[in-house]
Amino acid sequence: MTQIPSVRFGSTGLKVSCLALGTMTFGLQTDEATSHAILDKAADGGINFIDTANVYPLGGTPETAGRTEEIIGRWLRKSGKNRRGEFILATKAGGRNGLQPWDAGASRKHLLDAVDASLERLQTDYVDLYQLHHDDRETPLDELVEALDTIVRSGRARYVGVSNLLSYRLARAIGRAEVKRLVRPVSVQPRYSLLFREIERELLPLAHEEGLAVISYNPLAGGLLTGKYRPGSAPEANTRFTLGTAGNMYQDRYWHENYFATVGEIQRLADEAGVGLATLAVAWTMANPLVTAPLLGASKPEQLESTMAAARYSLSAELKQRLDEITAEYRKGDAPR
């Protein structure tokens, strides 16, 4: 298999594979043996960038939070080997991962407690990227950036980033870090796919101007862009559309007639081009020069074959334009032209 190329991580000096492995299925949707097989498949294919979070697995509860990090930690030391130095490891904090009032958010207490707990589960002394998972309006931005600065300067993370922040909040966080001469975020992790393009309006231009790496998630829209779901059918069991506490969220995001209709149009273009729908969807995301590395998720190792193939697929300018036109409505809020 052709190895996946490396790309520069935003304006930093770090190089990462141009595809990253998302792990939120590990520990609930997939058991440990399957999760390790998925990690093996990704590593064998050249993916050296692994992303997780302290609240994973997806669809779990505060009682299951951290299980995914534990699975990854055991894989890194599987069979008595320590493979930590072979991978760029990223995790996140901010979601609820305990029963106490302070076991969530962006407070200094939570972030410093959470990073220590993540390192223990991952069986490592540091992560390469530590990210705020969600915004927290109750914590002052100064407290947030000071906590992230402490984490980097203590050696527990090499870089810090954010996920799911509105553009103006991210801009303010960067501004506060610069004013206070603190370590600033170097990356952003937003949702982005053919069925969700809103970040093209403000967040991606901000990322370009500030030199931020963009690690986009949900490139397959929760699996809708694989073509395996049909309009009028019920969501399958043990998928993101039915999984634990996450099922309703994913149905609300994507399980709508207009999305199914659009997927049908994209499928016809994929058939004309002789390429798989999942490969085309990921390739379209990668074709945006502001995207550093889309996150690939899987519940079976073989599912990675079609998505990793996007790194080898050459998307023509004509096909990209047709995809852009078909999905233009998912940019939302554009001024009339």
Side-chain angles (χ1 to χ4, degrees):
M1 180 181 292
T2 303
Q3 292 295 293
I4 291 171
S6 294
V7 292
R8 187 181 178 193
F9 195 69
S11 58
T12 75
L14 180 64
K15 297 289 184 65
V16 301
S17 54
C18 65
L19 291 170
L21 181 68
T23 61
M24 62 184 180
T25 59
F26 296 1
L28 191 62
Q29 194 174 355
T30 64
D31 60 22
E32 182 154 345
T34 304
S35 301
H36 283 187
I38 292 169
L39 285 160
D40 289 338
K41 181 79 171 181
D44 291 344
I47 292 179
N48 59 25
F49 187 8
I50 301 170
D51 180 82
T52 189
N54 69 341
V55 296
Y56 292 164
L58 176 75
T61 64
E63 288 77 15
T64 62
R67 186 182 294 173
T68 301
E69 289 182 325
E70 292 173 346
I71 289 172
I72 295 169
R74 286 190 286 269
W75 178 78
L76 289 170
R77 294 181 179 271
K78 195 174 181 180
S79 303
K81 299 178 182 178
N82 184 357
R83 304 186 66 188
R84 173 66 184 89
E86 301 173 25
F87 300 95
I88 300 300
L89 188 57
T91 193
K92 300 182 284 291
R96 177 156 296 282
N97 70 327
L99 302 178
Q100 299 300 330
W102 52 82
D103 289 335
S107 71
R108 182 181 183 87
K109 172 166 178 58
H110 176 64
L111 292 182
L112 294 183
D113 287 350
V115 69
D116 288 339
S118 286
L119 295 180
E120 182 176 354
R121 289 189 291 264
L122 291 165
Q123 301 188 47
T124 183
D125 296 328
Y126 73 97
V127 290
D128 297 286
L129 178 66
Y130 196 65
Q131 304 157 95
L132 177 67
H133 205 160
H134 304 282
D135 199 359
D136 175 11
R137 301 299 182 90
E138 295 185 357
T139 298
L141 281 173
D142 282 8
E143 182 176 348
L144 161 63
V145 296
E146 287 169 1
L148 294 178
D149 179 82
T150 297
I151 289 169
V152 172
R153 296 190 189 279
S154 68
R156 287 174 278 187
R158 301 297 187 248
Y159 304 94
V160 291
V162 300
S163 179
N164 298 307
L165 261 67
L166 294 175
S167 301
Y168 88 94
R169 291 282 290 174
L170 173 55
R172 288 204 65 219
I174 292 172
R176 294 307 300 162
E178 290 177 341
V179 166
K180 298 175 74 65
R181 298 184 180 181
L182 302 174
V183 171
R184 54 173 266 170
V186 302
S187 65
V188 61
Q189 187 174 135
R191 180 158 60 109
Y192 186 50
S193 72
L194 281 161
L195 300 183
F196 187 83
R197 297 177 52 189
E198 295 180 23
I199 67 168
E200 293 176 3
R201 294 161 45 209
E202 294 185 3
L203 187 61
L204 289 185
L206 173 63
H208 176 65
E209 186 170 331
E210 296 294 339
L212 301 175
V214 178
I215 319 160
S216 57
Y217 70 87
N218 269 190
L220 297 181
L224 213 66
L225 285 165
T226 64
K228 67 180 180 180
Y229 299 111
R230 294 290 181 266
S233 63
E236 295 179 9
N238 200 38
T239 67
R240 295 189 192 180
F241 293 102
T242 57
L243 192 65
T245 58
N248 288 337
M249 176 184 70
Y250 269 82
Q251 288 187 45
D252 185 59
R253 278 184 186 175
Y254 302 118
W255 204 267
H256 304 288
E257 289 184 10
N258 61 315
Y259 286 133
F260 280 109
T262 303
V263 170
E265 294 184 65
I266 298 170
Q267 180 70 73
R268 284 190 286 275
L269 290 183
D271 293 342
E272 290 175 12
V275 62
L277 178 58
T279 302
L280 182 61
V282 176
W284 176 87
T285 305
M286 296 178 71
N288 190 319
L290 300 181
V291 172
T292 306
L295 282 165
L296 306 182
S299 57
K300 300 175 183 177
E302 54 268 26
Q303 291 174 342
L304 287 176
E305 294 178 7
S306 59
T307 50
M308 288 195 297
R312 307 186 298 275
Y313 179 71
S314 180
L315 178 64
S316 70
E318 179 184 0
L319 180 51
K320 183 181 184 305
Q321 181 177 352
R322 293 178 70 185
L323 290 168
D324 289 346
E325 291 170 352
I326 286 173
T327 61
E329 65 179 293
Y330 301 117
R331 283 177 56 98
K332 295 181 180 175
D334 280 342
R337 294 173 180 167

